[in-house]
Amino acid sequence: MTILRWTPRQLAMRAPWRELDRMRRHMEGMYDALSQGVETVRHGGAGVYPLLNLCEDTDNLYLTAELPGIAPADLELSVHGESVTLRGERKIPDADKSVNYHRREREAGIFRRVVSLPVRVDQDAAKASFKDGVLKVILPKAAEAKARQINIQAE
Amino acid sequence: MTDELQARDKMTVEAEGEQTKAGPVFVPAVDIYESEEALTLVADMPGVNKENLTIDLKENTLTIKGGVPPSEDLGKVLYREYEEGDYYRQFTLSELIDQGGITAALKDGVLTLSLPKIKPAQPRRIEITS
């Protein structure tokens, strides 16, 4: 809980907007503190297969997708500036004609999804890996998109 | 087959007893087909590896459990369309299965389980010698 600094009324009245602005910042801080750790899932995503998760740190963007049963050879990934295109086909080999199905829940088909990225990425340095049916793409942020640290020189 | 795949949320297991581990548990999508000789089960379990998969057949109940190790921290989440979690599904088999002949393969997050049936006793003709 934040304790607001008590300001003499006279002073507050002199700069009402500054006071409101300070309150707004406090409210935002409280809201951020409350919502921390609560991740919301966008159910259904954009309505396009596959569902994706996107994370970022200071240097990279990380895009992950669950693509079970898709051979890496049937997956096509292209990065272009601020977007990533994911296309492919999930093939389910037809079982022998003599078999009878009890359940058929898995689906086959093609997919194509384009994702807009929040920043420009270095398309030549992008890397992708596929393990246990999970695709992970590492997209290094373009130099101009990275926050630049400025060294302060002592005089 | 040129149908376009649909984006679907993973189904969570309806709570049947409490989980000891926090986090969602999902029901893997499966195909089950039967031939003269065997029952084959194919399940989508992305993120599961050999070490974290357990398949258990007790009497006629088949239980599949797949653990998904918590993923490494990739920094700030910009958006999350799917969640990661373990998989759990149970089936009751009506056929007698030859337990010793069960084979399982896991590739690209897909489990293929082959459950050979026990062959019914063959009628045997008994020759009568005079």
Side-chain angles (χ1 to χ4, degrees), chain B residues 86-125:
Chain B
D86 295 349
Y87 296 92
Y88 179 88
R89 198 155 174 180
Q90 221 168 34
F91 300 94
T92 306
L93 304 172
S94 51
E95 296 278 343
L96 280 174
I97 300 299
D98 171 15
Q99 299 225 12
I102 298 174
T103 54
L106 188 63
K107 188 174 180 280
D108 296 336
V110 178
L111 167 72
T112 307
L113 195 60
S114 175
L115 306 147
K117 294 180 193 171
I118 289 178
K119 288 178 189 72
Q122 297 291 321
R124 200 167 130 224
R125 227 173 99 182

Side-chain angles (χ1 to χ4, degrees), chain A residues 92-96 98-106, chain B residues 29-44 55 62 64 91-98 101-106 110-117:
Chain A
I92 295 182
D94 246 347
D96 207 322
S98 63
V99 304
N100 297 314
Y101 275 90
H102 286 264
R103 277 170 198 273
R104 203 160 195 178
E105 300 168 353
R106 300 168 67 240
Chain B
V30 299
D31 281 353
I32 301 175
Y33 52 86
E34 188 179 345
S35 68
E36 295 264 311
E37 303 85 35
L39 198 66
T40 307
L41 184 145
V42 188
D44 286 342
I55 303 159
L62 175 72
I64 300 169
F91 300 94
T92 306
L93 304 172
S94 51
E95 296 278 343
L96 280 174
I97 300 299
D98 171 15
I102 298 174
T103 54
L106 188 63
V110 178
L111 167 72
T112 307
L113 195 60
S114 175
L115 306 147
K117 294 180 193 171

Side-chain angles (χ1 to χ4, degrees), chain B residues 6-55:
Chain B
Q6 301 297 309
R8 286 185 211 285
D9 284 326
K10 292 196 275 186
M11 269 201 305
T12 47
V13 175
E14 291 305 318
E16 248 185 67
E18 299 246 8
Q19 299 286 335
T20 48
K21 205 176 122 192
V25 178
F26 298 104
V27 184
V30 299
D31 281 353
I32 301 175
Y33 52 86
E34 188 179 345
S35 68
E36 295 264 311
E37 303 85 35
L39 198 66
T40 307
L41 184 145
V42 188
D44 286 342
M45 302 168 98
V48 174
N49 59 28
K50 227 166 60 185
E51 286 73 40
N52 297 314
L53 179 72
T54 51
I55 303 159

Side-chain angles (χ1 to χ4, degrees), chain A residues 4 12 30 38 55 65 74 82 89 93 98 114 116 119 134 142 150:
Chain A
L4 294 178
M30 276 162 72
V38 182
C55 298
D74 291 329
E82 277 175 57
E89 186 177 357
S98 63
V114 60
S116 302
V119 294
V134 180
I150 297 159

Side-chain angles (χ1 to χ4, degrees), chain A residues 61-114:
Chain A
L61 289 178
Y62 302 94
L63 190 71
T64 52
E66 290 185 335
L67 300 162
I70 295 169
D74 291 329
L75 196 61
E76 191 188 310
L77 182 75
S78 52
V79 185
H80 189 82
E82 277 175 57
S83 71
V84 173
T85 310
L86 201 61
R87 297 173 73 105
E89 186 177 357
R90 180 162 132 113
K91 293 171 184 161
I92 295 182
D94 246 347
D96 207 322
K97 289 277 182 290
S98 63
V99 304
N100 297 314
Y101 275 90
H102 286 264
R103 277 170 198 273
R104 203 160 195 178
E105 300 168 353
R106 300 168 67 240
E107 289 169 289
I110 56 157
F111 59 89
R112 44 209 174 159
R113 179 167 180 184
V114 60

